[in-house]
Every structure is written in C-alpha cells, then in structure tokens.
Amino acid sequence: GLIIVGGLGFLVWNDLITQIPRRHHLQLHTKVVLSATGLLLVLGCVAFFLLESDHSMAGLSFGERLLASWFQAVTPRTAGFNTIDLAKLSHGGDLTTVFLMFVGGSPGSTAGGIKTTTLAVMLLCTAASAHHRNGCTLFKRRLTDDLMQQASAIVTIYLIAVICSTILLTAFEPVTLTEALFEVSSAAGTVGLTKGITPLLGNASKILLMILMFGGRVGGLTLALVLWEGRP
C-alpha cells in the first residue's frame, strides 16, 4: 500500500482529497495516473503469475504465488523490496521487471523512471500515428504538440542512457546481458532491486550506476535542459 501511495504522487492525492468530497471532476493528470497505474499493476501481476510459476515461485501454493506476483508487480516501479529470489527469475520475468522499472511511478512522486503519464502519451501518439490521425486525445482532451515532444524526449533520453550504460557494464564486468540490463534499469529508475552482483562490481561500474541513479532521480529531461542551458 505504501509503495502504491508513494508512486501515485502528491498531485494525485491532493486532487483526490480535495475533489472527491466535493463531487468535482478529477484533473486529467489524476485520471491518466490512476488508469495507467491500475493497468500496469494488473498486467504485471498476471505476467509474473504466468511466467514465474515454474521458476522463482516454484513450490508456492496458489495463494502464495498470487500474493508474490502482486508484490512483484508493485515493487519494481518505485520501491526495491522483493519477496522472491530475483536471481531465479525467468527471462520473461527479468524483462517484465526491467520494463516496470523503466516506466517507474508518476510525476510528483517518490519514484523514478519515465513516468506513467509519459508512457500513456507515447502509446496514444503511436496509436494515432498508426491510424494516420493528426493529434492525440485523452479523456476527451486534446494533447498539445509540446507535451508529445516532451514525452518523446524523455523516452529517448532514458533509452539512450540505459542502452549505453548496459554496453559499458558488459564491457567492464564479466556479467551477462540480462544481469547488466537489470542493474542499469534499476539504477536509472532509482528502484534499488538487484540480482546480487552490485557488491562484486568494480569502481568504474559502481560510479556508472551512481551517475544513473543521480540522473534518474533528477529526471532525464530536467538534467538535459540544465546541461543545455548551461552552454555558452
């Protein structure tokens, strides 16, 4: 519960507290965050339940697997707790966790990642482009071009950072691609999950992860804008 609350963001909780008692309409931001969060939680839980039954959750009862799947769907997007052995995750479970860490929480929250609103905007823009439509609408509200460009910039920055850092980590350390991608995504998303290799990394790799954690906490677009504005 605390992980979900922290991942929703202060803006959402302020809107829920002030608008629902007065029966006013919720802000567009709140609607997007709640919808995206609910969808990610449900799909993540189903994915882990199906993928990990014969791997990290082997030997657990139906109820234990369901609870472990729900916990594992919640924690990668902002926390860093785990109730199963992450080293035993299947490849599908690894990729699902990496995706959830990449998305992260919501704007104004304690989480990192590209944020749920960015994911929603990107998916809508992709759907609109596939159907040859100009512009995107969300809950009957038209999204501005600036918003779509900002979402594209955030995703691009995070993708470049994760891919380049994964390449560097595999060059520095005798680790598998899956292990490198997992550690890098966890650092960039400021999650804190690990497959147990972080203490064994060299100084260069640890510095790389620290830079990713700092950049992930500040925010990819914010960091890029600060660096750009600092140019002569």
Side-chain angles (χ1 to χ4, degrees), residues 95-119:
L95 289 176
T96 301
T97 304
V98 167
F99 171 73
L100 293 175
M101 291 191 292
F102 183 80
V103 175
S106 303
S109 71
T110 58
I114 64 171
K115 304 297 188 293
T116 54
T117 50
T118 302
L119 176 65

Side-chain angles (χ1 to χ4, degrees), residues 6 33 47 55 67-68 72 84 113 115 119 159 168 176 188 192 210 214:
V33 167
H55 295 85
L67 180 59
Q72 195 59 30
I84 58 176
K115 304 297 188 293
L119 176 65
L159 276 177
L168 289 175
T176 65
M210 285 189 285
F214 178 79

